[in-house]
Amino acid sequence: MGTALGLAGLSSRPSAAQSNDDIPILNAAIDLEHQAIWAYAVAAGKLSDNVIGKTILSLATRNLRDHEEHRDVLMGAVSSLGGTPSAARDSYDLSSYISAREGNLDSDANIAKLALALEVDATLAYGDAFSQLKTPGLLAAAATIAPDESAHATAIRAILRTLDPTIAFVPAAFLSADTRDRWILKI
């Protein structure tokens, strides 16, 4: 993935207008990656030391590495367009997910459900944001990140299925705003 958004995405130089339009979109994507990295790091310290906690931690570690790679490549793309990549915040607000009962940090299963909600929303955000990119090479390259986010969501659902066999790996033929509620698992 290292070159998916890097040099390959910028093989033909975008116009200044394209760059100016694309930088905020890419920076919003960077912020999503920063949030995911922060959330996985915070949640990792709250997982139990039992089999379920260790399994979730193993997946979280793999997902975290993907998010770090996405962030790094997106930051490189912003820099190559002459922009300044978004910086990570000290913390991110997860209260809307918690109050909507889409996960929490109080148990292994609820941590996994929170990660699921974040991954589903990242998939939706990427699909929306990346469709607005003006630089053709970036649009094609950026489209490789959204499927990775949906793969993260599917992997989380697979782990949760070990706790509840009625949970489908893929609950809908599409992951869209219309099917979001079918993908999210409430607590």
Side-chain angles (χ1 to χ4, degrees):
M1 170 87 186
T3 61
L5 278 174
L7 299 176
L10 294 174
S11 57
S12 60
R13 298 308 298 165
S15 70
Q18 288 173 324
S19 295
N20 288 339
D21 289 342
D22 289 347
I23 290 170
I25 295 167
L26 294 171
N27 269 330
I30 292 168
D31 196 51
L32 281 174
E33 297 300 340
H34 285 315
Q35 178 187 27
I37 292 164
W38 175 85
Y40 276 117
V42 167
K46 297 185 179 291
L47 290 166
S48 70
D49 198 29
N50 65 26
V51 171
I52 294 170
K54 288 179 181 178
T55 302
I56 293 168
L57 180 59
S58 177
L59 177 60
T61 301
R62 287 192 309 271
N63 290 354
L64 175 65
R65 284 193 303 262
D66 288 348
H67 288 294
E68 289 170 338
E69 190 171 342
H70 296 164
R71 176 208 56 205
D72 293 347
V73 170
L74 289 164
M75 289 176 84
V78 168
S79 294
S80 70
L81 292 173
T84 301
S86 291
R89 296 183 229 158
D90 292 334
S91 65
Y92 292 81
D93 183 10
L94 303 177
S95 63
S96 63
Y97 293 97
I98 294 168
S99 65
R101 301 182 41 87
E102 296 179 348
N104 207 322
L105 295 169
D106 59 356
S107 72
D108 295 339
N110 287 343
I111 288 170
K113 289 175 183 178
L114 180 60
L116 174 63
L118 290 167
E119 295 289 2
V120 166
D121 284 350
T123 304
L124 297 174
Y126 276 128
D128 180 52
F130 287 163
S131 69
Q132 297 174 42
L133 289 170
K134 304 292 185 212
T135 307
L138 281 177
L139 176 58
T144 65
I145 292 179
D148 193 44
E149 303 300 341
S150 64
H152 291 167
T154 301
I156 293 166
R157 289 181 65 86
I159 286 176
L160 289 167
R161 182 180 167 92
T162 65
L163 302 174
D164 179 355
T166 66
I167 294 173
F169 295 114
V170 178
F174 301 97
L175 200 167
S176 67
D178 293 336
T179 64
R180 181 185 184 276
D181 287 343
R182 291 167 56 189
W183 281 85
I184 301 297
L185 297 171
K186 299 271 187 172
I187 58 173

